[in-house]
Amino acid sequence: MSATTGYARRLLAVAMLLALTACSTTEIASLEEPAAAPMTGQTNDPAPGFENVGAGSEEDFILNVGRRIYFKQDSATLDSVAMATLDNQAIWLNKNPTWLLKLQGFADDSGSASQMEALSQKRADAAMAYLASKGVDAKRMWARGYGNEREVRDCTDRSCRVQNRRVVTNLRTQPDAV
């Protein structure tokens, strides 16, 4: 038997093993995982597991609009990135007028607890005022500052602390109990 014939036989054997392996795992995979939605290769394809997110749902708001904005240290001034996010929120909220909003303000631990609570309230109020200026009915919104009592992370480095200086827009179906 020549070297070429031996090589061809080994190649054929490997190909057959791969074909058999593919046949047996396909059946198992189809039982374990739901069929994925067809992907078009576009950047707006849904993330796996979120193919059935309905327009106007809370998931739609979180995934497609964004619910967090961030602030510089010791500031309640909206920057251009925050305003762009709030602009998208206002458009979405004006299309979905049944949702109520709780705007939660937060701060890092760069000052006293009372200073950070006041600053976080100013941040939430600034976001609420901006949304109202974009046509969102003020009766649908309320703001609450939590200071630094609900930190994302307890940390000292700058890149971590910025995560605590935020306002989170939470959708509600009814006002919070007092």
Side-chain angles (χ1 to χ4, degrees), residues 32-113:
E32 293 175 357
E33 297 179 22
M39 301 302 264
T40 63
Q42 302 296 316
T43 56
N44 62 348
D45 279 342
F50 295 96
E51 296 88 354
N52 298 319
V53 171
S57 67
E58 186 172 9
E59 293 84 5
D60 176 43
F61 182 79
I62 293 168
L63 289 171
N64 298 314
V65 178
R67 65 183 202 153
R68 287 183 177 83
I69 59 172
Y70 298 93
F71 295 83
K72 292 181 180 173
Q73 186 171 346
D74 298 325
S75 174
T77 303
L78 300 170
D79 65 13
S80 61
V81 175
M83 286 188 277
T85 300
L86 291 169
D87 287 339
N88 290 333
Q89 287 183 6
I91 291 166
W92 191 93
L93 291 163
N94 287 327
K95 287 180 184 175
N96 298 284
T98 58
W99 286 106
L100 303 176
L101 296 125
K102 180 178 184 178
L103 295 148
Q104 296 177 296
F106 301 95
D108 61 21
D109 59 358
S110 60
S112 72

Side-chain angles (χ1 to χ4, degrees), residues 120 144 173:
S120 66
R144 169 88 197 276
T173 55

